[in-house]
Amino acid sequence: MERLSHLFSPIRIRNVELVNRAVIPPMGTNLGRKDGTVSDALIAYIRRRAASGPGLIITEITAVHPTGSVINTELGIHDDRFIPGLKTLADTIHAGGAKAAIQLHHGGRECFFHLTKGRALGPSAIPSLIYGVAPKEMTLDDIHEIVTAFGVSAARAREAGFDIVEIHGAHGYLLCQFLSELSNQRQDEYGSSMKSRARFVVEVIREVRRNVGDDFPISLRLSIEESIKGGYTVEDMLTVVPDFVGAGVDIIHASLGTYGSPGGVTSAPVEYEPGFNAWRARKVKDVVNIPVIAVGRFSDPAFADEVIGRGDADMVSFGRQFLADPDFLNKARQGRAEEIRTCIACNQGCIERLMFEGKTIRCAINPETGQETTYPLPEQKSPKKVWIAGAGPAGLTAAYEASRLGHEVTVFEKDDVVGGQIRYAGMPPFKDVYLKWIHWLENQAVKGGAKIRTGEPLTREMLASERPDAVIVATGGEKMVPPIEGIDLPHVCDAWQILSGEVSPGRSVLIIGGGLIGMEVADFLCGKAPAVTVVEALPTSPVSKLTSHGYMLHRRLRQGGCSLIFGITVTRITPDSVRLCTADEERELSPVDQVVVAVGLTPRQELKAILEELCIPFTLVGDAAEPRRIIEATEEGARAAWDL
Ligand SMILES: Cc1cc2nc3c(=O)[nH]c(=O)nc-3n(C[C@H](O)[C@H](O)[C@H](O)COP(=O)(O)OP(=O)(O)OC[C@H]3O[C@@H](n4cnc5c(N)ncnc54)[C@H](O)[C@@H]3O)c2cc1C
Ligand SMILES: Cc1cc2nc3c(=O)[nH]c(=O)nc-3n(C[C@H](O)[C@H](O)[C@H](O)COP(=O)(O)O)c2cc1C
């Protein structure tokens, strides 16, 4: 029997046959040009994914009207001048064997730069939860204009060669704003009841159908649940889904969440289990007789196959998994599942980089993503003897990339095992996927030809006697020890000793440092130690609640009864208490029977001076350059290998 026969079976929707049921859902990339046209970088990004054999690729949000774009590089389809670029995009998808869909979008009140200029539109003049600025309430003429824009844009999509259009009715954008009572308080026929709030969506669907003709499939992406306090529920949505089908929709893409949903549930963090949202797709399937796409933390093709097999969905979207490993479907097809690089749902390189940093798409664990035009292929250059110090994320990524490019690579790791900080980062709740990733990376580097020598620090003597052609210094950071009276007492330990199990949790634990490491240790200790307090010198938390991981951490610590105190320094540690100091008072906290130091790292750079003295070319990467995050470690490790 064919492997994964449900996932890899074809499906027909109107006149379009998909070769299989694996879908790449729309994902904004920021790779568009400033004028909203398609760039070479976007084509290269799509080409790489089209080659991996999904049945359907739905390209990212594309503005149907000049007032509808949420960022200035958002692709446009509101004018004929966009058609040639979009045609190249559709052709690129077809060349890989998939069918091409485009997502038609209007951002409504979430278009920040239109909001600031007073041009943003919304069903009611209710401020965006994120930006705090209200849009202009749409008049009936505005409504008519936007409905028409969706229709004309759909016709352009067809002209550009797309096989399907997807109407974006989800995630808090204009159509979703109409559906939600939180953003739609209109008193006319477009407001009040769920049925009336759905009218705008119904009109958009009808207009799109009128423009594309009877044979052309239309997908509707919906947040089946708004996932926010006071938002619409699954039951509310199920009352109107049949109306959407009646208006001409052929596929429901069953997503969830809106702007401001706690913890970024739309691109859910690791706390949500794979396929956590599939039950909502099932609910939709129970009320309609058209194909439904499930989405949400799918990364394992075998699991997606199971979900389709048991009838919960007809197709499955793999979003971030296609960023982490565009080859994963082929690996599954060929029985090489163990080679799949599984998404760790950290959101660092993808959604949060786009939303909070305004940068182009990347992936924290796949340095090729978003850099397809410059990603180097193995050349016939003469291989170099490359030594790498440190087998954490930076060193192992450098090893994988350098050996892939044909260099002769040896990694020296001073500890007996590889992984660097990930050995500890993978210990708190839900983070075992980080351990899985680092083992994957180790295996791939070795498979690619890199030699890894554990228990062997790279030293001056080794460098002087064997003189490699180049060295990549990925030695990470050194733990900082704050100069506090009592820091040497026996009940004081550090975060790493707790996470590794070397030191057992105390009863009343005080953690010095409320950065990521301190918060992670607190998370690890919640439920193990009866009382956990984190003190941080900064006035506010260095771990932003805007990121999904930060939000989940703060929530878990609050629910776990852990107390976080900001704007406070520890000035003295005694055997059963600590002295805390704020700008205006000093006080004693007791009892404290364990103090855990988590004040961070300083770059470990002792090899730098040695390499300079020996005149051996080198690059400092990752935490060894400056302690930061995984994405910087992998990015710099890869770049050092590419630049050899
Ligand atoms: C508890 C915890 C949780 C974290 N959670 C996250 C998170 O959720 N997201 C995130 O982005 N980041 C997180 N981090 C930070 C992240 O782990 C680091 O940024 C990342 O590991 C840095 O990678 P690196 O390869 O530069 O350094 P490291 O991971 O520190 O690896 C350096 C390696 O070099 C070795 N070494 C040192 N000197 C020598 C020498 N002379 N010769 C040979 N080997 C040597 C070390 O033993 C080590 O194995 C966390 C860190 C901790 C401790
Ligand atoms: C970088 C990024 C950009 C996204 N852009 C869009 C988009 O343009 N339109 C959309 O409907 N959803 C968008 N999403 C949501 C995804 O389509 C998908 O629903 C979500 O990531 C959950 O799927 P996953 O867990 O498989 O990643 C985006 C997600 C990411 C990570």
Side-chain angles (χ1 to χ4, degrees):
M1 199 176 89
E2 203 207 331
R3 217 173 249 127
L4 309 183
S5 58
H6 302 295
L7 182 64
F8 291 130
S9 68
I11 181 168
R12 191 169 185 87
I13 301 143
R14 293 207 186 227
N15 69 338
V16 173
E17 171 129 336
L18 309 181
V19 288
N20 64 53
R21 291 152 185 255
V23 178
I24 303 190
M27 283 186 286
T29 58
N30 252 357
L31 292 173
R33 292 209 191 95
K34 284 217 164 59
D35 63 357
T37 56
V38 171
S39 67
D40 292 347
L42 180 58
I43 294 292
Y45 160 90
I46 287 288
R47 182 180 296 118
R48 181 70 177 87
R49 278 149 190 90
S52 66
L56 178 66
I57 299 183
I58 310 171
T59 60
E60 63 193 85
I61 47 168
T62 304
V64 298
H65 191 270
T67 56
S69 47
V70 284
I71 45 168
N72 63 358
T73 54
E74 178 168 336
L75 298 185
I77 192 165
H78 47 83
D79 190 284
D80 286 350
R81 74 187 158 88
F82 295 109
I83 294 175
L86 294 172
K87 184 170 185 330
T88 316
L89 202 55
D91 290 348
T92 305
I93 294 171
H94 291 148
K99 294 297 181 202
I102 187 168
Q103 192 180 48
L104 304 178
H105 173 245
H106 192 295
R109 69 173 186 178
E110 305 303 348
C111 301
F112 180 66
F113 59 87
H114 295 310
L115 269 179
T116 53
K117 294 190 174 112
R119 284 196 312 240
L121 299 176
S124 301
I126 297 171
S128 149
L129 275 183
I130 301 291
Y131 303 122
V133 183
K136 166 183 176 271
E137 176 167 320
M138 289 167 78
T139 61
L140 293 182
D141 283 347
D142 291 331
I143 289 179
H144 180 69
E145 185 174 333
I146 300 303
V147 167
T148 306
F150 268 95
V152 178
S153 299
R156 281 193 193 102
R158 185 173 185 150
E159 191 182 335
F162 283 90
D163 309 287
I164 298 176
V165 287
E166 177 167 282
I167 299 168
H168 199 339
H171 306 165
Y173 294 119
L174 186 64
L175 274 64
C176 190
Q177 288 160 29
F178 267 89
L179 291 170
S180 171
E181 215 174 353
L182 295 174
S183 39
N184 179 356
Q185 287 173 9
R186 297 177 74 95
Q187 300 304 315
D188 61 8
E189 65 269 38
Y190 293 95
S192 67
S193 70
M194 189 71 194
K195 286 260 178 206
S196 306
R197 295 200 304 273
R199 183 185 303 274
F200 178 66
V201 180
V202 167
E203 288 182 4
V204 166
I205 298 165
R206 286 205 184 112
E207 185 65 6
V208 168
R209 171 62 65 216
R210 207 174 63 77
N211 276 271
V212 293
D214 282 344
D215 55 347
F216 196 86
I218 301 173
S219 167
L220 175 64
R221 195 162 217 213
L222 290 170
S223 289
I224 301 303
E225 184 169 359
E226 226 184 325
S227 312
I228 194 167
K229 202 167 166 219
Y232 63 75
T233 62
V234 178
E235 286 66 36
D236 294 332
M237 179 50 81
L238 294 183
T239 62
V240 291
V241 165
D243 299 349
F244 301 149
V245 178
V249 158
D250 304 297
I251 306 169
I252 300 283
H253 197 167
S255 187
L256 84 166
T258 187
Y259 263 59
S261 288
V265 72
T266 299
S267 296
V270 276
E271 282 81 357
Y272 291 84
E273 64 191 30
F276 72 98
N277 183 38
W279 70 270
R280 293 186 183 86
R282 171 84 240 184
K283 287 270 185 191
V284 175
K285 269 189 75 65
D286 289 344
V287 298
V288 299
N289 58 359
I290 56 168
V292 175
I293 310 177
V295 63
R297 286 269 291 124
F298 281 100
S299 52
D300 176 2
F303 177 55
D305 186 73
E306 209 181 295
V307 167
I308 297 170
R310 64 174 180 243
D312 285 355
D314 302 278
M315 293 177 264
V316 165
S317 273
F318 299 87
R320 290 165 292 172
Q321 181 56 36
F322 265 106
L323 306 177
D325 185 353
D327 298 321
F328 81 101
L329 275 184
N330 283 334
K331 289 175 184 171
R333 234 183 232 118
Q334 294 157 9
R336 297 187 289 125
E338 73 291 348
E339 288 179 34
I340 293 175
R341 172 167 29 194
T342 302
C343 168
I344 59 173
C346 68
N347 287 345
Q348 260 176 30
C350 54
I351 193 75
E352 288 174 5
R353 188 175 142 101
L354 263 67
M355 303 269 293
F356 305 140
E357 300 174 44
K359 294 181 179 163
T360 54
I361 198 158
R362 294 281 169 84
C363 172
I365 60 170
N366 178 7
E368 181 185 2
T369 297
Q371 310 201 75
E372 289 77 8
T373 49
T374 51
Y375 188 66
L377 297 172
E379 302 169 30
Q380 296 308 314
K381 274 205 300 202
S382 55
K384 286 187 175 163
K385 174 174 160 183
V386 181
W387 279 11
I388 297 171
L396 288 176
T397 303
Y400 174 61
E401 290 292 324
S403 47
R404 182 182 69 79
L405 294 174
H407 297 291
E408 187 200 308
V409 178
T410 309
V411 183
F412 297 88
E413 168 53 55
K414 76 172 171 53
D415 289 347
D416 290 336
V417 278
V418 306
Q421 300 289 335
I422 300 304
R423 286 158 53 205
Y424 309 94
M427 297 315 291
F430 303 104
K431 291 188 75 187
D432 50 336
V433 285
Y434 287 60
L435 299 176
K436 189 176 166 198
W437 162 62
I438 207 77
H439 288 134
W440 176 91
L441 189 53
E442 176 192 7
N443 288 339
Q444 296 307 303
V446 170
K447 214 167 164 184
K451 293 187 185 62
I452 301 183
R453 287 162 54 171
T454 50
E456 260 192 84
L458 185 56
T459 61
R460 185 180 207 295
E461 294 65 39
M462 292 152 81
L463 288 161
S465 74
E466 293 206 40
R467 297 197 63 88
D469 297 322
V471 175
I472 296 174
V473 180
T475 46
E478 202 73 67
K479 298 171 205 173
M480 290 202 283
V481 182
I484 301 172
E485 186 187 334
I487 197 87
D488 295 328
L489 286 168
H491 69 305
V492 180
C493 63
D494 66 39
W496 293 265
Q497 288 173 299
I498 292 284
L499 290 169
S500 65
E502 182 190 329
V503 173
S504 304
R507 293 195 57 74
S508 190
V509 186
L510 180 109
I511 299 169
I512 305 179
L516 183 62
I517 297 176
M519 295 273 287
E520 296 268 12
V521 183
D523 197 18
F524 179 82
L525 285 174
C526 273
K528 295 188 178 79
V532 180
T533 304
V534 181
V535 290
E536 164 60 46
L538 292 172
T540 55
S541 175
V543 177
S544 168
K545 286 184 200 164
L546 284 178
T547 65
S548 318
H549 184 52
Y551 175 86
M552 296 312 262
L553 258 180
H554 278 279
R555 190 173 78 169
R556 253 196 319 279
L557 294 192
R558 196 177 58 243
Q559 288 171 348
C562 167
S563 73
L564 301 174
I565 316 177
F566 299 105
I568 266 193
T569 49
V570 176
T571 52
R572 192 178 65 203
I573 303 168
T574 73
D576 60 1
S577 72
V578 291
R579 188 148 193 84
L580 302 176
C581 175
T582 65
D584 8 76
E585 58 153 358
E586 281 207 40
R587 66 185 163 98
E588 208 77 3
L589 183 76
S590 75
V592 171
D593 71 358
Q594 185 171 59
V595 175
V596 181
V597 178
V599 291
L601 304 161
T602 51
R604 193 185 281 126
Q605 296 189 341
E606 65 264 16
L607 287 173
K608 182 170 179 257
I610 297 169
L611 289 157
E612 277 167 355
E613 187 198 321
L614 294 172
C615 295
I616 297 176
F618 70 94
T619 319
L620 275 174
V621 295
D623 280 9
E626 186 195 337
R628 285 151 299 161
R629 304 172 300 172
I630 291 169
I631 189 166
E632 285 82 17
T634 56
E635 161 84 20
E636 290 168 13
R639 193 151 294 283
W642 301 345
D643 292 346
L644 281 166

